Amino acid sequence: MNGRVTMNTLSRYWKIWRINLAAENLGYKQIPVTVAQDFVNHQVNDVENNYAQNVLLSYFHAEASAIDQLNSARAGLCLRCYVSEPILKECKKIASLFSGEKQFTYRDLLPFVLNDDGQKLIVLDRDGKTQLMVDDDCQIKPSTYKFFSVTVLQTFNAELQSGMSLDNWAYLQTKQNPELKKFLSEFGFQHLSDWALLNRTRSKQLERLSIQERYIVEAFHAVYRRDRQQQQNKGAKKCPDPTNAQLQEMLIYLQQHQVLINTSVQLMQELKQIAVQLRKFDIWSSRESLDIYDVESGTYVPRPDLSSSSVDLVTVEEQEFLQFLKEHLDTTLTQTIKQEVEANIDKLQKSKKYAPFAQKYIQGLELYYHQAMSLKEIAPKLGMTSWDQARRILNPGELLSKVRAKTVEQMLESVLKKAAEKGLTKIPPEANYLIALTEQIESYIDGEIFQEAAEEIRTGKNRNMSSVYAQAIRSYIQEFTSNCVFIG
């Protein structure tokens, strides 16, 4: 919209959504803030719509005299009113993710993030991180209470605003709020048993499991979910442990799909391990908000047409980012396996002691990852004197460790570039951001690839090399062998 800003549009900067227990049905209420309204009328009423927010942000981050600090606090109050709307909306969206369980509502989430009553004037210290309060005498002193709305503002990069809007940044920060996430993990997930969690596994979650794990969940659904539906028809509520008869039926199902799990004890362990993964999965991108903000009524109303309603921008960004991670992880894994395998071959070729085995390295990997042979079994086939020699030459654990480290490094580089494009960070990034991002990438790729790959290596007899990593190794071996045949 071009031209002057309308008062209806500007009202977001002087009306704050805050908790109101008197509003029994909603638990929140929109309150006009006189100080913010006066500041909007005097400072941004005649500013073009595209620049109104920029003006307030420039005031808020200004470093100058006490008078300017007062204007900074007033501008900040306007922006705190503005971000209260996406904070409230995100709480309602999060609650909708758990609507089927009805264990809590969005009202339980509000105290964690909608904790700003709009009554205090707040500025930031010179470090841009510490919240300070401006009292009635315009004196600056440390704030005894930390407002989440101010946290949203102080972490928002105004210079890269085109990368992510303030609304979307507020959505993102709300669902990443540590206290809120702790509440969800303890209350939103932990009350579900492993069996209830597995029973309600959805397609988006299945996509993040390995092929073998998907078959296990399918077997669980084919047997346990079938029986569970019959139990619910008879009034049963709690999900009981799978019976031995159910486990045996699942084993038969898995055998028919060439998944080799030999005992019910082993199957129980696999099911519980998958449940652990499901508890860690990021659920935010799997749903859309179930309501929309109605400007005329000033409240949130159910979406009139879920099927045709446009997707929330934040959901789109998250889905794009997750898709970006997945696409780059597949490519990066292939590249790093090639780099590290070839580096190992080159190292063997330069070794006086092990040079004769350089040409047998690929064959050793083929025996290990394709035929699932142990190092003890591989040693005589490659003319090695012992298991220990086979371990020093092939060392699949060390190869896995190197591939993982290289994958983290290359994924981090790709993600940082993407994050900079989206306005989430600058290049080079701040140390804390870099550390947090590295931890997130490590957690992501471990869950997707390397945790299962490490477990395969640790397995003794009856090793089943079905992980994504093992498949990628076999694909590389096939490509390497084909190229060698072609060249020959």
Short mmCIF file of all heavy atoms in Angstrom, two decimals, residues 138-171:
data_model
loop_
_atom_site.label_atom_id
_atom_site.label_comp_id
_atom_site.label_asym_id
_atom_site.label_seq_id
_atom_site.Cartn_x
_atom_site.Cartn_y
_atom_site.Cartn_z
N CYS A 138 12.98 10.07 34.38
CA CYS A 138 13.87 9.88 33.22
C CYS A 138 15.24 9.34 33.62
O CYS A 138 16.24 9.55 32.92
CB CYS A 138 14.04 11.18 32.45
SG CYS A 138 12.50 11.76 31.70
N GLN A 139 15.30 8.67 34.76
CA GLN A 139 16.53 8.03 35.19
C GLN A 139 16.59 6.60 34.64
O GLN A 139 15.59 5.90 34.61
CB GLN A 139 16.62 8.01 36.72
CG GLN A 139 16.64 9.39 37.36
CD GLN A 139 17.86 10.20 36.91
OE1 GLN A 139 18.99 9.71 36.96
NE2 GLN A 139 17.62 11.43 36.48
N ILE A 140 17.81 6.20 34.22
CA ILE A 140 18.00 4.86 33.65
C ILE A 140 18.53 3.93 34.73
O ILE A 140 19.51 4.24 35.42
CB ILE A 140 19.01 4.89 32.48
CG1 ILE A 140 18.62 5.98 31.47
CG2 ILE A 140 19.08 3.53 31.81
CD1 ILE A 140 17.31 5.75 30.79
N LYS A 141 17.90 2.80 34.88
CA LYS A 141 18.36 1.80 35.86
C LYS A 141 18.06 0.40 35.34
O LYS A 141 17.20 0.23 34.46
CB LYS A 141 17.68 2.04 37.21
CG LYS A 141 16.16 2.01 37.17
CD LYS A 141 15.60 2.36 38.54
CE LYS A 141 14.07 2.33 38.53
NZ LYS A 141 13.51 2.69 39.86
N PRO A 142 18.78 -0.59 35.84
CA PRO A 142 18.57 -1.96 35.36
C PRO A 142 17.13 -2.41 35.57
O PRO A 142 16.52 -2.11 36.60
CB PRO A 142 19.54 -2.79 36.21
CG PRO A 142 20.59 -1.82 36.64
CD PRO A 142 19.88 -0.51 36.82
N SER A 143 16.60 -3.09 34.61
CA SER A 143 15.24 -3.60 34.71
C SER A 143 15.25 -4.90 35.52
O SER A 143 16.07 -5.79 35.28
CB SER A 143 14.67 -3.86 33.31
OG SER A 143 13.38 -4.43 33.41
N THR A 144 14.37 -4.98 36.48
CA THR A 144 14.29 -6.18 37.32
C THR A 144 13.49 -7.28 36.63
O THR A 144 13.46 -8.42 37.11
CB THR A 144 13.63 -5.85 38.66
OG1 THR A 144 12.32 -5.29 38.42
CG2 THR A 144 14.47 -4.86 39.44
N TYR A 145 12.87 -6.94 35.51
CA TYR A 145 12.02 -7.91 34.80
C TYR A 145 12.37 -7.86 33.33
O TYR A 145 12.50 -6.79 32.74
CB TYR A 145 10.55 -7.56 35.02
CG TYR A 145 9.59 -8.61 34.54
CD1 TYR A 145 9.39 -9.78 35.27
CD2 TYR A 145 8.87 -8.43 33.36
CE1 TYR A 145 8.49 -10.74 34.84
CE2 TYR A 145 7.97 -9.39 32.92
CZ TYR A 145 7.78 -10.54 33.66
OH TYR A 145 6.90 -11.49 33.23
N LYS A 146 12.54 -9.01 32.73
CA LYS A 146 12.93 -9.08 31.32
C LYS A 146 11.70 -9.31 30.45
O LYS A 146 11.03 -10.34 30.57
CB LYS A 146 13.95 -10.20 31.10
CG LYS A 146 14.61 -10.17 29.73
CD LYS A 146 15.72 -11.20 29.66
CE LYS A 146 16.42 -11.15 28.31
NZ LYS A 146 17.54 -12.13 28.23
N PHE A 147 11.42 -8.35 29.58
CA PHE A 147 10.26 -8.45 28.69
C PHE A 147 10.66 -9.23 27.42
O PHE A 147 11.64 -8.87 26.76
CB PHE A 147 9.74 -7.07 28.31
CG PHE A 147 9.17 -6.30 29.47
CD1 PHE A 147 9.90 -5.28 30.06
CD2 PHE A 147 7.91 -6.60 29.96
CE1 PHE A 147 9.38 -4.57 31.12
CE2 PHE A 147 7.39 -5.90 31.04
CZ PHE A 147 8.12 -4.88 31.62
N PHE A 148 9.86 -10.23 27.09
CA PHE A 148 10.16 -11.02 25.90
C PHE A 148 10.02 -10.17 24.63
O PHE A 148 10.77 -10.35 23.67
CB PHE A 148 9.25 -12.24 25.82
CG PHE A 148 9.46 -13.05 24.57
CD1 PHE A 148 10.64 -13.77 24.38
CD2 PHE A 148 8.50 -13.07 23.57
CE1 PHE A 148 10.85 -14.49 23.21
CE2 PHE A 148 8.69 -13.81 22.41
CZ PHE A 148 9.87 -14.52 22.24
N SER A 149 9.07 -9.25 24.61
CA SER A 149 8.88 -8.41 23.43
C SER A 149 10.14 -7.60 23.13
O SER A 149 10.50 -7.40 21.97
CB SER A 149 7.70 -7.46 23.64
OG SER A 149 7.92 -6.67 24.81
N VAL A 150 10.84 -7.16 24.19
CA VAL A 150 12.09 -6.41 24.00
C VAL A 150 13.18 -7.34 23.49
O VAL A 150 14.01 -6.95 22.66
CB VAL A 150 12.51 -5.72 25.32
CG1 VAL A 150 13.82 -4.95 25.12
CG2 VAL A 150 11.42 -4.78 25.80
N THR A 151 13.19 -8.57 23.97
CA THR A 151 14.15 -9.56 23.48
C THR A 151 13.98 -9.76 21.97
O THR A 151 14.97 -9.88 21.24
CB THR A 151 13.97 -10.90 24.21
OG1 THR A 151 14.17 -10.71 25.60
CG2 THR A 151 14.96 -11.94 23.70
N VAL A 152 12.75 -9.82 21.52
CA VAL A 152 12.48 -9.95 20.08
C VAL A 152 13.09 -8.78 19.32
O VAL A 152 13.75 -8.96 18.29
CB VAL A 152 10.96 -10.03 19.82
CG1 VAL A 152 10.68 -9.96 18.31
CG2 VAL A 152 10.37 -11.29 20.41
N LEU A 153 12.91 -7.57 19.85
CA LEU A 153 13.41 -6.37 19.17
C LEU A 153 14.93 -6.30 19.17
O LEU A 153 15.54 -5.92 18.17
CB LEU A 153 12.82 -5.12 19.83
CG LEU A 153 11.30 -4.96 19.75
CD1 LEU A 153 10.87 -3.75 20.56
CD2 LEU A 153 10.84 -4.85 18.30
N GLN A 154 15.54 -6.64 20.29
CA GLN A 154 17.00 -6.48 20.37
C GLN A 154 17.74 -7.51 19.53
O GLN A 154 18.91 -7.31 19.19
CB GLN A 154 17.45 -6.55 21.83
CG GLN A 154 17.34 -7.91 22.48
CD GLN A 154 17.57 -7.85 24.00
OE1 GLN A 154 16.95 -7.06 24.70
NE2 GLN A 154 18.48 -8.67 24.50
N THR A 155 17.08 -8.60 19.17
CA THR A 155 17.72 -9.62 18.32
C THR A 155 17.36 -9.44 16.85
O THR A 155 17.90 -10.14 16.00
CB THR A 155 17.32 -11.03 18.75
OG1 THR A 155 15.88 -11.14 18.76
CG2 THR A 155 17.85 -11.35 20.14
N PHE A 156 16.46 -8.52 16.56
CA PHE A 156 16.05 -8.29 15.17
C PHE A 156 17.06 -7.42 14.46
O PHE A 156 17.43 -6.35 14.96
CB PHE A 156 14.67 -7.62 15.14
CG PHE A 156 14.17 -7.34 13.76
CD1 PHE A 156 13.91 -8.36 12.86
CD2 PHE A 156 13.94 -6.03 13.35
CE1 PHE A 156 13.44 -8.10 11.59
CE2 PHE A 156 13.46 -5.75 12.08
CZ PHE A 156 13.21 -6.79 11.20
N ASN A 157 17.53 -7.86 13.31
CA ASN A 157 18.53 -7.13 12.54
C ASN A 157 17.82 -6.19 11.57
O ASN A 157 17.36 -6.61 10.51
CB ASN A 157 19.44 -8.10 11.78
CG ASN A 157 20.67 -7.39 11.22
OD1 ASN A 157 20.63 -6.22 10.89
ND2 ASN A 157 21.76 -8.12 11.15
N ALA A 158 17.72 -4.93 11.96
CA ALA A 158 16.98 -3.97 11.15
C ALA A 158 17.63 -3.74 9.79
O ALA A 158 16.94 -3.49 8.80
CB ALA A 158 16.88 -2.63 11.90
N GLU A 159 18.95 -3.85 9.72
CA GLU A 159 19.64 -3.59 8.46
C GLU A 159 19.33 -4.65 7.42
O GLU A 159 19.43 -4.41 6.22
CB GLU A 159 21.15 -3.54 8.70
CG GLU A 159 21.58 -2.37 9.57
CD GLU A 159 23.08 -2.35 9.79
OE1 GLU A 159 23.75 -3.27 9.28
OE2 GLU A 159 23.57 -1.43 10.46
N LEU A 160 18.95 -5.83 7.88
CA LEU A 160 18.62 -6.91 6.96
C LEU A 160 17.14 -7.23 7.03
O LEU A 160 16.71 -8.36 6.89
CB LEU A 160 19.44 -8.16 7.29
CG LEU A 160 20.95 -8.01 7.12
CD1 LEU A 160 21.66 -9.26 7.61
CD2 LEU A 160 21.30 -7.74 5.67
N GLN A 161 16.34 -6.20 7.23
CA GLN A 161 14.91 -6.39 7.42
C GLN A 161 14.25 -7.05 6.20
O GLN A 161 13.27 -7.76 6.33
CB GLN A 161 14.24 -5.05 7.71
CG GLN A 161 12.76 -5.17 8.08
CD GLN A 161 12.18 -3.83 8.50
OE1 GLN A 161 12.92 -2.88 8.72
NE2 GLN A 161 10.88 -3.75 8.59
N SER A 162 14.81 -6.81 5.02
CA SER A 162 14.21 -7.40 3.83
C SER A 162 14.30 -8.92 3.84
O SER A 162 13.55 -9.62 3.18
CB SER A 162 14.89 -6.85 2.57
OG SER A 162 16.28 -7.16 2.60
N GLY A 163 15.28 -9.44 4.61
CA GLY A 163 15.43 -10.89 4.66
C GLY A 163 14.31 -11.55 5.45
O GLY A 163 13.85 -12.62 5.11
N MET A 164 13.88 -10.94 6.54
CA MET A 164 12.78 -11.46 7.34
C MET A 164 12.07 -10.30 7.99
O MET A 164 12.69 -9.43 8.60
CB MET A 164 13.28 -12.46 8.39
CG MET A 164 12.17 -13.03 9.26
SD MET A 164 12.71 -14.33 10.41
CE MET A 164 12.84 -15.70 9.28
N SER A 165 10.75 -10.27 7.87
CA SER A 165 9.98 -9.17 8.45
C SER A 165 10.00 -9.25 9.97
O SER A 165 10.28 -10.31 10.55
CB SER A 165 8.54 -9.23 7.94
OG SER A 165 7.89 -10.38 8.46
N LEU A 166 9.66 -8.16 10.62
CA LEU A 166 9.60 -8.15 12.08
C LEU A 166 8.53 -9.11 12.57
O LEU A 166 8.70 -9.77 13.61
CB LEU A 166 9.32 -6.73 12.59
CG LEU A 166 9.26 -6.54 14.11
CD1 LEU A 166 10.53 -7.05 14.78
CD2 LEU A 166 9.02 -5.07 14.45
N ASP A 167 7.42 -9.22 11.84
CA ASP A 167 6.37 -10.18 12.20
C ASP A 167 6.93 -11.60 12.22
O ASP A 167 6.74 -12.34 13.19
CB ASP A 167 5.21 -10.10 11.21
CG ASP A 167 4.38 -8.85 11.39
OD1 ASP A 167 4.75 -7.80 10.86
OD2 ASP A 167 3.34 -8.93 12.07
N ASN A 168 7.58 -11.97 11.13
CA ASN A 168 8.10 -13.33 11.03
C ASN A 168 9.22 -13.58 12.04
O ASN A 168 9.38 -14.70 12.54
CB ASN A 168 8.60 -13.60 9.61
CG ASN A 168 7.45 -13.89 8.67
OD1 ASN A 168 6.30 -13.98 9.09
ND2 ASN A 168 7.75 -14.02 7.39
N TRP A 169 10.01 -12.55 12.33
CA TRP A 169 11.06 -12.70 13.35
C TRP A 169 10.42 -12.96 14.72
O TRP A 169 10.91 -13.77 15.50
CB TRP A 169 11.93 -11.45 13.39
CG TRP A 169 13.09 -11.58 14.33
CD1 TRP A 169 13.24 -10.95 15.53
CD2 TRP A 169 14.25 -12.38 14.15
NE1 TRP A 169 14.43 -11.31 16.11
CE2 TRP A 169 15.07 -12.20 15.29
CE3 TRP A 169 14.68 -13.25 13.15
CZ2 TRP A 169 16.29 -12.85 15.45
CZ3 TRP A 169 15.90 -13.91 13.31
CH2 TRP A 169 16.69 -13.70 14.44
N ALA A 170 9.32 -12.26 15.00
CA ALA A 170 8.61 -12.46 16.27
C ALA A 170 8.03 -13.87 16.35
O ALA A 170 8.08 -14.51 17.41
CB ALA A 170 7.51 -11.42 16.43
N TYR A 171 7.48 -14.37 15.23
CA TYR A 171 7.00 -15.77 15.20
C TYR A 171 8.14 -16.72 15.56
O TYR A 171 8.01 -17.61 16.39
CB TYR A 171 6.49 -16.13 13.81
CG TYR A 171 5.20 -15.49 13.38
CD1 TYR A 171 5.07 -14.94 12.12
CD2 TYR A 171 4.10 -15.45 14.23
CE1 TYR A 171 3.88 -14.36 11.70
CE2 TYR A 171 2.91 -14.86 13.82
CZ TYR A 171 2.80 -14.32 12.56
OH TYR A 171 1.63 -13.75 12.15
#
